[in-house]
Amino acid sequence: MFELTTYELFVLSAGAMAFGLFLLIKGGDWTVDAAVFVAERTGLSPLFIGATIISFGTSVPELFTSVNANLSGFPGISLGNVLGSNVANILLVLGATAFVFHVSAKPKDLWKDLAMMLVSTAILAYGMMIGSFSQVFGLIMFAILVAFVFFQYKTDCIQLEDDDDDEDAGPAITTMKGAALVLLAGLAALAIGSELLVQGAVQTGTAIGVPEAVIGMTVVAFGTSLPELSTCIAAARKQSVGLILGNIIGSNTFNIMSIVALTAIIKPLDVDPVLLGFELWATVAVAVVFSLWMLTVGKLTKPMGTAMLAGYVVFIAYQYLQ
């Protein structure tokens, strides 16, 4: 059987990482361009589009990871993936975005989405405390999500003040059909790009002797949040605050109410007791503090972004020190 040398494996893995990064960048641009076009044509706010269509699309890596892990007999990975991703979405993704772009919104425009994120986090904590997510529990969670999205659609009329158009940043979109195709292409590029980048990083780390456990704890957890990061940075360049906040708040809600729910519906999801300590309560604390901050202060500046990034570094460092 033909085997690649360490150098050849390193080169192929580096190439996969580079191509994955390219797909993430282009996918983020395409997704945001299509979402803004749809928002303008339908009269829906970018916040709503970001909190629903984009959020579900950028949660595809977490969905694949959680379902496959649970079916393979590793439920701890399924829930750990969601917990880690929700922390990364706020501290890493929003922190990095705020570091380079001032993010602000009126608290009254965010309270519904933030309230739903907090309710979802409470449901997650409850399910974990009782030890499992049954198929019925999963169905109830998913039904609540569907009802909330319908409620959002019927009541949506928000246009955030900072949303501006950037006509020369992406592909020319002139019809709703074209927007749908660009949106699908963007979401597919995000999913494929994140997978290529993660797998390339894993293989590169293996080739140079980094332990697999270290790679999984850092690269894979970071990788499942790359679509959100790519989309938020693309939205920041286009001055679309609604998409930035909607994407992150919505992704955290979807991670719980769709990914955990669908994973449990397919196969009951047991809770690994290891996750009932720091991981769970750090996830709850980050969601609560972020929500209170946005509902009172309403903005994320560069110093706040720096503090959030530092918080994420501490969160990751703690994992190594356990």
Side-chain angles (χ1 to χ4, degrees):
M1 181 178 177
F2 177 73
E3 293 186 3
L4 295 174
T5 65
T6 300
Y7 173 75
E8 291 171 332
L9 180 60
F10 179 83
V11 170
L12 287 175
S13 299
M17 291 174 63
F19 186 55
L21 184 60
F22 169 78
L23 286 178
L24 282 171
I25 294 171
K26 297 305 295 182
D29 280 337
W30 296 341
T31 300
V32 171
D33 287 335
V36 170
F37 180 86
V38 171
E40 291 174 347
R41 281 297 183 92
T42 60
L44 297 172
S45 70
L47 181 65
F48 173 79
I49 298 295
T52 53
I53 299 172
I54 308 304
S55 293
F56 185 77
T58 56
S59 293
V60 167
E62 286 94 337
L63 178 60
F64 288 160
T65 300
S66 293
V67 171
N68 289 335
N70 194 39
L71 290 175
S72 300
F74 301 102
I77 295 178
S78 297
L79 286 172
N81 176 45
V82 170
L83 293 174
S85 179
N86 277 20
V87 171
N89 280 349
I90 293 176
L91 295 184
L92 174 63
V93 177
L94 267 184
T97 304
F99 185 79
V100 297
F101 175 73
H102 183 84
V103 178
S104 64
K106 296 178 181 177
K108 69 181 181 66
D109 292 344
L110 300 176
W111 76 266
K112 287 185 299 183
D113 300 272
L114 289 172
M116 184 61 190
M117 184 182 73
L118 291 176
V119 168
S120 301
T121 303
I123 291 174
L124 175 67
Y126 172 76
M128 292 183 66
M129 293 298 291
I130 64 175
S132 67
F133 293 83
S134 66
Q135 290 176 316
V136 173
F137 198 166
L139 284 169
I140 293 173
M141 291 172 66
F142 194 71
I144 292 173
L145 176 65
V146 172
F148 177 70
V149 171
F150 180 75
F151 169 74
Q152 277 186 310
Y153 175 76
K154 298 298 290 185
T155 60
D156 181 66
C157 60
I158 300 168
Q159 293 293 335
L160 295 181
E161 295 177 357
D162 292 326
D163 288 332
D164 296 316
D165 295 331
D166 190 340
E167 298 178 356
D168 59 359
I173 303 174
T174 58
T175 65
M176 288 295 289
K177 182 178 180 180
L181 291 175
V182 172
L183 180 61
L184 289 174
L187 294 176
L190 289 172
I192 296 170
S194 64
E195 178 68 12
L196 283 173
L197 187 57
V198 169
Q199 293 303 322
V202 169
Q203 294 303 322
T204 300
T206 301
I208 61 179
V210 178
E212 184 177 341
V214 174
I215 298 168
M217 195 182 328
T218 55
V219 178
V220 175
F222 170 76
T224 55
S225 289
L226 283 176
E228 285 88 351
L229 179 60
S230 180
T231 302
C232 282
I233 291 176
R237 295 204 313 269
K238 302 170 193 300
Q239 304 289 297
S240 187
V241 175
L243 285 179
I244 294 171
L245 293 172
N247 180 29
I248 295 304
I249 299 171
S251 286
N252 280 18
T253 298
F254 270 84
N255 281 350
I256 298 170
M257 304 301 281
S258 68
I259 292 175
V260 173
L262 291 174
T263 301
I265 291 170
I266 294 172
K267 179 185 176 183
L269 183 59
D270 295 325
V271 178
D272 188 334
V274 173
L275 296 174
L276 294 176
F278 175 77
E279 288 78 9
L280 171 59
W281 300 116
T283 303
V284 173
V286 167
V288 171
V289 172
F290 168 69
S291 297
L292 291 176
W293 181 271
M294 292 308 297
L295 289 174
T296 54
V297 179
K299 61 183 178 180
L300 298 173
T301 58
K302 186 172 183 177
M304 187 60 185
T306 303
M308 293 166 75
L309 289 172
Y312 186 70
V313 171
V314 171
F315 175 77
I316 294 299
Y318 183 84
Q319 308 302 311
Y320 285 95
L321 298 175
Q322 292 191 91

Short mmCIF file of all heavy atoms in Angstrom, two decimals, residues 7 9 12 45 67 70 74 79 84-85 94 102 111 127 135 161 164 169 221 229 236 253 264 266 270 284 302:
data_model
loop_
_atom_site.label_atom_id
_atom_site.label_comp_id
_atom_site.label_asym_id
_atom_site.label_seq_id
_atom_site.Cartn_x
_atom_site.Cartn_y
_atom_site.Cartn_z
N TYR A 7 6.69 14.77 4.71
CA TYR A 7 6.74 16.03 3.97
C TYR A 7 5.56 16.14 3.01
O TYR A 7 4.90 17.18 2.92
CB TYR A 7 8.04 16.13 3.19
CG TYR A 7 8.11 17.33 2.26
CD1 TYR A 7 8.31 18.61 2.77
CD2 TYR A 7 7.94 17.18 0.88
CE1 TYR A 7 8.35 19.72 1.94
CE2 TYR A 7 7.97 18.28 0.04
CZ TYR A 7 8.18 19.54 0.57
OH TYR A 7 8.21 20.63 -0.27
N LEU A 9 2.68 14.60 3.21
CA LEU A 9 1.46 14.76 3.99
C LEU A 9 1.32 16.20 4.47
O LEU A 9 0.22 16.78 4.43
CB LEU A 9 1.48 13.81 5.19
CG LEU A 9 0.26 13.85 6.12
CD1 LEU A 9 -1.00 13.50 5.36
CD2 LEU A 9 0.46 12.89 7.30
N LEU A 12 0.25 18.42 1.42
CA LEU A 12 -1.16 18.22 1.08
C LEU A 12 -2.07 18.83 2.14
O LEU A 12 -3.08 19.46 1.81
CB LEU A 12 -1.45 16.73 0.93
CG LEU A 12 -0.88 16.04 -0.32
CD1 LEU A 12 -1.13 14.53 -0.26
CD2 LEU A 12 -1.51 16.63 -1.58
N SER A 45 -35.66 42.32 8.16
CA SER A 45 -34.44 42.96 8.65
C SER A 45 -33.25 42.02 8.49
O SER A 45 -33.39 40.80 8.57
CB SER A 45 -34.60 43.34 10.12
OG SER A 45 -34.63 42.17 10.92
N VAL A 67 -24.25 14.95 15.43
CA VAL A 67 -25.01 13.76 15.03
C VAL A 67 -24.08 12.57 14.85
O VAL A 67 -24.34 11.47 15.36
CB VAL A 67 -25.81 14.03 13.74
CG1 VAL A 67 -26.42 12.72 13.20
CG2 VAL A 67 -26.92 15.04 14.00
N ASN A 70 -22.71 11.28 18.25
CA ASN A 70 -23.70 10.56 19.06
C ASN A 70 -23.99 9.18 18.46
O ASN A 70 -24.09 8.19 19.19
CB ASN A 70 -24.99 11.37 19.16
CG ASN A 70 -25.91 10.85 20.25
OD1 ASN A 70 -25.45 10.45 21.33
ND2 ASN A 70 -27.20 10.84 20.00
N PHE A 74 -20.34 8.54 21.08
CA PHE A 74 -19.58 9.56 21.82
C PHE A 74 -20.46 10.77 22.10
O PHE A 74 -20.24 11.87 21.55
CB PHE A 74 -18.34 9.98 21.05
CG PHE A 74 -17.40 8.85 20.74
CD1 PHE A 74 -17.36 8.28 19.48
CD2 PHE A 74 -16.56 8.34 21.72
CE1 PHE A 74 -16.50 7.23 19.19
CE2 PHE A 74 -15.70 7.30 21.45
CZ PHE A 74 -15.67 6.74 20.18
N LEU A 79 -22.38 17.09 22.92
CA LEU A 79 -22.71 18.22 23.79
C LEU A 79 -21.52 19.13 24.00
O LEU A 79 -21.66 20.35 24.05
CB LEU A 79 -23.23 17.70 25.13
CG LEU A 79 -24.65 17.13 25.12
CD1 LEU A 79 -24.98 16.46 26.44
CD2 LEU A 79 -25.66 18.23 24.80
N GLY A 84 -18.77 24.27 23.62
CA GLY A 84 -17.57 24.97 23.18
C GLY A 84 -17.84 25.95 22.07
O GLY A 84 -17.28 27.05 22.03
N SER A 85 -18.73 25.57 21.14
CA SER A 85 -19.05 26.45 20.02
C SER A 85 -19.78 27.70 20.48
O SER A 85 -19.52 28.80 19.99
CB SER A 85 -19.90 25.68 19.00
OG SER A 85 -20.24 26.52 17.91
N LEU A 94 -17.36 37.11 18.10
CA LEU A 94 -17.77 38.51 18.32
C LEU A 94 -16.62 39.34 18.86
O LEU A 94 -16.50 40.53 18.54
CB LEU A 94 -18.95 38.56 19.29
CG LEU A 94 -20.35 38.57 18.67
CD1 LEU A 94 -21.40 38.72 19.76
CD2 LEU A 94 -20.50 39.66 17.62
N HIS A 102 -16.52 48.38 15.13
CA HIS A 102 -17.41 48.78 16.21
C HIS A 102 -18.80 48.18 15.98
O HIS A 102 -19.44 48.43 14.96
CB HIS A 102 -17.51 50.31 16.25
CG HIS A 102 -18.33 50.84 17.37
ND1 HIS A 102 -17.84 51.03 18.64
CD2 HIS A 102 -19.64 51.21 17.42
CE1 HIS A 102 -18.80 51.51 19.42
NE2 HIS A 102 -19.90 51.63 18.69
N TRP A 111 -33.82 42.37 22.15
CA TRP A 111 -34.30 41.67 23.35
C TRP A 111 -34.97 40.35 23.04
O TRP A 111 -34.81 39.37 23.79
CB TRP A 111 -35.22 42.58 24.17
CG TRP A 111 -36.61 42.75 23.61
CD1 TRP A 111 -37.04 43.75 22.80
CD2 TRP A 111 -37.73 41.91 23.84
NE1 TRP A 111 -38.37 43.58 22.47
CE2 TRP A 111 -38.82 42.46 23.11
CE3 TRP A 111 -37.94 40.75 24.59
CZ2 TRP A 111 -40.09 41.88 23.11
CZ3 TRP A 111 -39.20 40.16 24.58
CH2 TRP A 111 -40.27 40.72 23.85
N GLY A 127 -31.66 20.11 30.73
CA GLY A 127 -31.50 18.78 30.13
C GLY A 127 -30.23 18.10 30.59
O GLY A 127 -30.22 16.89 30.85
N GLN A 135 -35.87 11.54 23.00
CA GLN A 135 -36.42 11.91 21.70
C GLN A 135 -37.60 12.87 21.85
O GLN A 135 -37.76 13.81 21.07
CB GLN A 135 -36.83 10.65 20.93
CG GLN A 135 -35.64 9.81 20.48
CD GLN A 135 -36.06 8.52 19.81
OE1 GLN A 135 -36.96 7.82 20.29
NE2 GLN A 135 -35.40 8.17 18.71
N GLU A 161 -29.79 50.74 12.27
CA GLU A 161 -29.34 51.98 11.66
C GLU A 161 -28.00 51.86 10.94
O GLU A 161 -27.74 52.57 10.00
CB GLU A 161 -29.23 53.06 12.75
CG GLU A 161 -30.59 53.41 13.36
CD GLU A 161 -30.45 54.41 14.48
OE1 GLU A 161 -29.30 54.77 14.82
OE2 GLU A 161 -31.47 54.84 15.02
N ASP A 164 -25.54 49.24 5.94
CA ASP A 164 -25.33 49.95 4.68
C ASP A 164 -25.08 48.97 3.58
O ASP A 164 -24.69 47.84 3.81
CB ASP A 164 -24.11 50.89 4.80
CG ASP A 164 -24.34 51.98 5.82
OD1 ASP A 164 -25.45 52.55 5.82
OD2 ASP A 164 -23.42 52.23 6.61
N ALA A 169 -18.86 44.58 -3.51
CA ALA A 169 -18.11 43.63 -2.71
C ALA A 169 -18.32 42.18 -3.12
O ALA A 169 -17.58 41.32 -2.72
CB ALA A 169 -18.47 43.78 -1.23
N ALA A 221 -12.57 22.39 17.86
CA ALA A 221 -13.53 23.28 18.52
C ALA A 221 -13.55 24.65 17.85
O ALA A 221 -14.61 25.24 17.64
CB ALA A 221 -13.17 23.41 20.00
N LEU A 229 -17.38 33.01 12.16
CA LEU A 229 -16.32 34.03 12.13
C LEU A 229 -16.19 34.63 10.75
O LEU A 229 -16.12 35.86 10.58
CB LEU A 229 -14.99 33.42 12.57
CG LEU A 229 -13.78 34.35 12.57
CD1 LEU A 229 -14.01 35.53 13.50
CD2 LEU A 229 -12.52 33.59 12.96
N ALA A 236 -19.00 42.58 8.68
CA ALA A 236 -18.38 43.79 9.24
C ALA A 236 -17.83 44.66 8.13
O ALA A 236 -17.96 45.90 8.15
CB ALA A 236 -17.27 43.40 10.21
N THR A 253 -28.61 29.96 19.59
CA THR A 253 -29.95 29.39 19.79
C THR A 253 -30.12 28.13 18.96
O THR A 253 -30.60 27.09 19.46
CB THR A 253 -31.03 30.42 19.42
OG1 THR A 253 -30.92 31.56 20.27
CG2 THR A 253 -32.42 29.81 19.55
N ALA A 264 -30.79 14.45 19.46
CA ALA A 264 -31.56 13.63 20.40
C ALA A 264 -32.71 12.92 19.71
O ALA A 264 -33.07 11.79 20.08
CB ALA A 264 -32.08 14.51 21.53
N ILE A 266 -32.78 11.82 16.63
CA ILE A 266 -32.21 10.70 15.88
C ILE A 266 -31.81 9.56 16.82
O ILE A 266 -32.05 8.39 16.55
CB ILE A 266 -31.00 11.17 15.06
CG1 ILE A 266 -31.46 12.16 13.98
CG2 ILE A 266 -30.27 9.98 14.42
CD1 ILE A 266 -30.33 12.84 13.24
N ASP A 270 -27.26 11.10 25.81
CA ASP A 270 -26.88 11.03 27.23
C ASP A 270 -25.83 12.11 27.54
O ASP A 270 -25.05 12.49 26.67
CB ASP A 270 -26.32 9.65 27.57
CG ASP A 270 -27.37 8.57 27.45
OD1 ASP A 270 -28.55 8.85 27.76
OD2 ASP A 270 -27.02 7.44 27.02
N VAL A 284 -23.15 29.04 30.32
CA VAL A 284 -24.27 29.81 30.87
C VAL A 284 -23.83 31.22 31.22
O VAL A 284 -24.51 32.20 30.88
CB VAL A 284 -24.85 29.10 32.12
CG1 VAL A 284 -25.91 29.99 32.79
CG2 VAL A 284 -25.46 27.75 31.74
N LYS A 302 -13.54 48.12 20.64
CA LYS A 302 -12.26 47.40 20.56
C LYS A 302 -11.76 46.93 21.92
O LYS A 302 -11.32 45.77 22.05
CB LYS A 302 -11.20 48.28 19.87
CG LYS A 302 -9.89 47.56 19.63
CD LYS A 302 -8.95 48.40 18.77
CE LYS A 302 -7.66 47.64 18.47
NZ LYS A 302 -6.76 48.41 17.59
#
